[in-house]
Amino acid sequence: MSIADLRREYARARLDERDVSHDPLVEFARWFAEYREVSPPEPNAMILATATADGVPSVRTVLLKIFDAEGFVFFTDYRSRKGQELEANPRAALLFYWGELERQVRITGSVSRTSAEESEQYFRRRPVGSRLGAWSSHQSQLIAGRGVLEKALAEAEATFADGEPPLPPYWGGFRVAPDTYEFWQGRPNRLHDRIVYLKPGADEQPGREWRIARLSP
Ligand SMILES: Cc1cc2nc3c(=O)[nH]c(=O)nc-3n(C[C@H](O)[C@H](O)[C@H](O)COP(=O)(O)O)c2cc1C
């Protein structure tokens, strides 16, 4: 079958602005819990989009490690491409594609580094092998071959022979503080439900709730 003819009719569920929480984080938590029930291999995988200061975009998958009222956190090498782009242009978009549930969630927001304490706390939870890996790779740099990594790993193992590799100074978290959310539920005949949450602007009344609206599919 040609890929031009690959398509799916969506009929699992509906999304109504009268049923959603007034708090997008609560709605996200509900959808995330439902997705975890599906038992996908990596329920916390998300697509992260960044851009250079002059607008050249790039995307990649990262793992969501914390989400709460402060924002959505992932961990990485600050020297990587994404790290450099976020330093120059601290805005990002996140995408969760949850095909089994005929759902997608999009988030946009401003980005800041997590504190060194927070990064440290998470780093210590990682298996030792992953911690040594962080010491052995300068993420997103060109390397001559796999041997470079194996040599660096052997060096890191020797340096941290006590089995307690500390947090590398170039490694840590980024937190995306959302200013928009979009919840997408597939519906029949391509008339999908799209509910957006818009954060009240700084000039609006403090304490005002998120504005909830519907987008045309
Ligand atoms: C399922 C999955 C999860 C990943 N999680 C992370 C992550 O949490 N942090 C990270 O730095 N890279 C993660 N990666 C690797 C990134 O996709 C990417 O290759 C790397 O971060 C370099 O991206 P950059 O050159 O744009 O900085 C993951 C890849 C996959 C496929």
Side-chain angles (χ1 to χ4, degrees), residues 109-129:
S110 52
V111 180
S112 56
R113 285 189 181 197
T114 57
S115 68
E117 296 73 53
E118 237 181 322
S119 299
E120 169 102 48
Q121 214 174 41
Y122 172 70
F123 192 73
R124 296 215 170 273
R125 291 173 74 144
R126 302 179 87 207
V128 173

Side-chain angles (χ1 to χ4, degrees), residues 17-95:
E17 47 274 66
R18 285 163 303 190
D19 301 332
V20 297
S21 170
H22 64 277
D23 180 348
L25 190 63
V26 171
E27 196 63 26
F28 181 86
R30 185 181 301 157
W31 276 34
F32 185 59
E34 288 174 16
Y35 187 52
R36 287 187 72 177
E37 295 278 303
V38 172
S39 298
E42 292 186 276
N44 56 335
M46 61 183 182
I47 310 302
L48 164 74
T50 57
T52 61
D54 51 358
V56 179
S58 64
V59 293
R60 77 290 289 153
T61 312
V62 292
L63 295 176
L64 176 65
K65 291 293 173 172
I66 302 169
F67 68 93
D68 58 24
E70 307 278 297
F72 287 64
V73 177
F74 63 92
F75 291 89
T76 195
D77 186 328
Y78 289 135
R79 304 167 302 179
S80 63
R81 176 173 179 174
K82 75 182 91 49
Q84 292 186 27
E85 291 184 1
L86 288 171
E87 292 305 321
N89 178 12
R91 304 268 321 154
L94 302 175
L95 174 82

